[in-house]
Amino acid sequence: MLRILYRELHYLLAKRNPLIANDDKQFQKAIKNAMNIKRGIGLQVLGFLPFGLLMASTLAFTDEKLVLSSLMVSLALIPFVFAMYVTTVQTSYILSVGLFEPLKLLPIRMGSRYLSALLLLEISPSLATVLPSALVILMKYPLSGFLAILWLLLGLFLGHTLGLVLVNFFSLRIYQRASRRHSLRSFARVIMFLLFIGMFMMMTYLQYYIRRHSGEVARIVGRYFIAYPFAVSSIFDPLRSIGLFLGYSITFGFVYYLTLKGVWKKILEPPVVSEKRSVSTFKASPKSKVLALVSKDFKTFLRKPAMLVAFLFPIYIIFPTLISALQRGKLGLEDLLPVIFMIGLFSVPGADAVLKVEGKNLDFLKTLPIKKRDFVVAKVISMTIIPTFLALSLVFLGLYYDPKTFVLLPYALFLPFIASSITMLYFFRYKGEELGIPELKWLQIILMFILVGIVFGIIALPIFISFSIIESQVITLVVALALALCLRRLSR
Amino acid sequence: MIVVESLIKKFGEKTVLNGISFRVNNGEIYGLLGPNGSGKSTTMKILVGIVRPTSGKVLVAGIDPLKDPIKVKEVVGFVPETPILYESLTPEEFFNFIGSVRNLDKENLEERVNHLVKAFGIEEYLDQFIGTLSFGTQQKISLISALLHDPQVLVLDEAMNGLDPKSAKILRELLLEFKMEGKSIVFSTHVLPLAEMICDRIGLIYRGKFIVEGTIAELKEKAHEENLEDIFLKLTESKGEVENILQALKEAL
């Protein structure tokens, strides 16, 4: 069953990818690769492994238990966040393309276990980024290394379970009528969930401190060992670590089982929420093509909150800054500059959400007179809106503490646009007018991070060399303008 | 007008269309008939520019869908065999989206939607999410969205699927009206009496090839049969097969 679902999912992904779908030979080759589970996962593991080895190398040169456990705390976030992200986004996509429709007709007791297994297959290669580090510890301290591996696997399971909880609560409900109240309610729920998860995300802040004052922070980490991922710091205290591990496993195992039951029940028969009827005649409000596409995307996001969560991921980046500002009562230019660059950089994964939102509707879009340029520009705007809003909010918050932060305005306005444009121009580089959804693999997203990182590096260069923000901003504007021209020329 | 010459479409090693040719004049309803998997839907998707042919020539209202797919989509209204719609939008939002993408002005869009919505009886569903509506209502939404821009050419793949008798009758009358206005209509259906009723000419496609083409009278004469169903079964070599299958089923069940 799992093999059939995996093959079907990857067949659908390949079919929607215009870079290969129009070339019969390439298509056959791509589906041969993508539909083979071992080969597909093996290739992804190979892609992730260099990053894993790079991270492991930082652990190789120290034997200090405190430093090793502190670094493991940071690393343990990677499978957790990755699993939660992939579970929320991919589930919405899988269900929207109707992958589970044929199973509904069969006498299957809990088909969601196949959904979960399919997602875990997709998520598992990400372990290649963290397992080498755990193996380094294993070689030095076998029992602690073994516990580190268990904690990393647990992190993946926790992220996956929380992703499923999110899907169960937000994604599988059918609202019969559209209303502003319904959209606001969805949005409020998402923000509540993000704030909750943000408590975990704040802990990434540690990595920065660990590098600078590892001993001091590691002691603080030790005090708060119960919360994940801090609990991972207990690997050198085996009894406590095993106790915590079992506690988490049993609790979340139970949550996982109940959630799977709920998810399957809702896949079979999505609950319908009905509200009073209000419309009987049609009111036209035509917009431009691009705006119509953007507005459609955001309506869909608001009505599929699991996708919205994935889309709002850049919010995590501002949590530490906000908390730091609140704690210190200070928010200066030097605090905000790197955060705004990071928000820009983290516009990149938004590509996954804005393209997957189309699902099976791509075939319908293809019947409409939409130029590739309009489609791509709309997707760039959809990707850009939330990061730009976040970056602008930070700049305005900064103004309260320090008026000089106003000079960051051009970065807040253009960096998310630059990152989104580079990403979309890369994915839609194929010739011809046909609309399509490029297959977004994590390796490509990482490649985009690197590419956008290089461009951002060039933009930031004058600041590093001569502390010249003006020169850097001129480069920002030139790059933004050049990309806007490239987008404009896309359909010529 | 639609012109199709020597159209070939291969999916990998499999040849789905094997050199079909036909022409649909202005003011004509052309019935594309054939068993499941014969290549009707692929032909229609090539006409509207969403599938590329392997070889052959296609002109829709004088435009080559390969060279200018956007222009073709501007003049064609297409109803696929299964409605593909944005399930998290309401019909009202969906029609506004289509109107925007097709650059329709506010008054024209409002007038056309309200007329069509009333004709197909879906006023009460305008603010419900499309995903919660029945198949028939979704089919009506798909039909309305294909007619909003007053297309010169209509390509309807099993458009009567799921429609109630009243809506089916309205659609039939609308098609005859469009024919009078000089539009070209390609229409596929498995409801053979319906095809007999509204199509001016019929092309019978079987295993990717045309096996016969002409008016109903011409087909009757060629096949020496009285109705389209018998013509269909005879020409697709299914008549004897159907009898054998029925006999085997009776014995088995």
Side-chain angles (χ1 to χ4, degrees), chain A residues 175-176 285 303 358 366, chain B residues 73 86 93 96 110 129 132:
Chain A
Y175 287 89
Q176 209 159 30
S285 54
R303 288 159 195 178
E358 296 300 345
K366 282 180 174 180
Chain B
K73 288 167 194 175
Y86 285 98
E93 290 164 344
N96 265 315
E110 209 159 277
F129 293 121
T132 66

Side-chain angles (χ1 to χ4, degrees), chain A residues 35-173:
Chain A
M35 287 165 74
N36 181 323
I37 299 183
K38 281 180 197 160
R39 196 179 300 172
I41 291 179
L43 285 172
Q44 284 193 62
V45 167
L46 280 178
F48 280 117
L49 206 55
F51 300 97
L53 294 174
L54 200 72
M55 290 190 202
S57 65
T58 59
L59 277 81
F61 300 104
T62 177
D63 287 334
E64 232 186 283
K65 289 181 178 177
L66 221 52
V67 179
L68 289 172
S69 62
S70 309
L71 283 169
M72 276 315 293
V73 168
S74 303
L75 289 175
L77 270 173
I78 294 173
F80 172 77
V81 172
F82 189 85
M84 198 175 70
Y85 179 85
V86 172
T87 302
T88 49
V89 175
Q90 198 76 325
T91 305
S92 298
Y93 180 74
I94 285 171
L95 297 179
S96 81
V97 294
L99 197 67
F100 276 76
E101 289 304 308
L103 295 193
K104 285 184 180 180
L105 308 173
L106 300 174
I108 291 173
R109 202 173 288 272
M110 201 161 75
S112 49
R113 64 179 190 265
Y114 299 113
L115 171 70
S116 172
L118 183 65
L119 291 165
L120 285 170
L121 264 182
E122 299 280 319
I123 296 160
S124 57
S126 69
L127 284 171
T129 54
V130 286
L131 278 181
S133 301
L135 289 174
V136 167
I137 300 178
L138 186 78
M139 276 153 53
K140 293 177 181 179
Y141 305 99
L143 181 59
S144 302
F146 176 68
L147 285 170
I149 294 172
L150 286 182
W151 275 109
L152 292 176
L153 292 173
L154 183 75
L156 186 130
F157 176 68
L158 293 184
H160 174 61
T161 304
L162 278 173
L164 284 174
V165 169
L166 188 67
V167 165
N168 188 32
F169 277 116
F170 296 149
S171 225
L172 300 168
R173 199 175 295 249

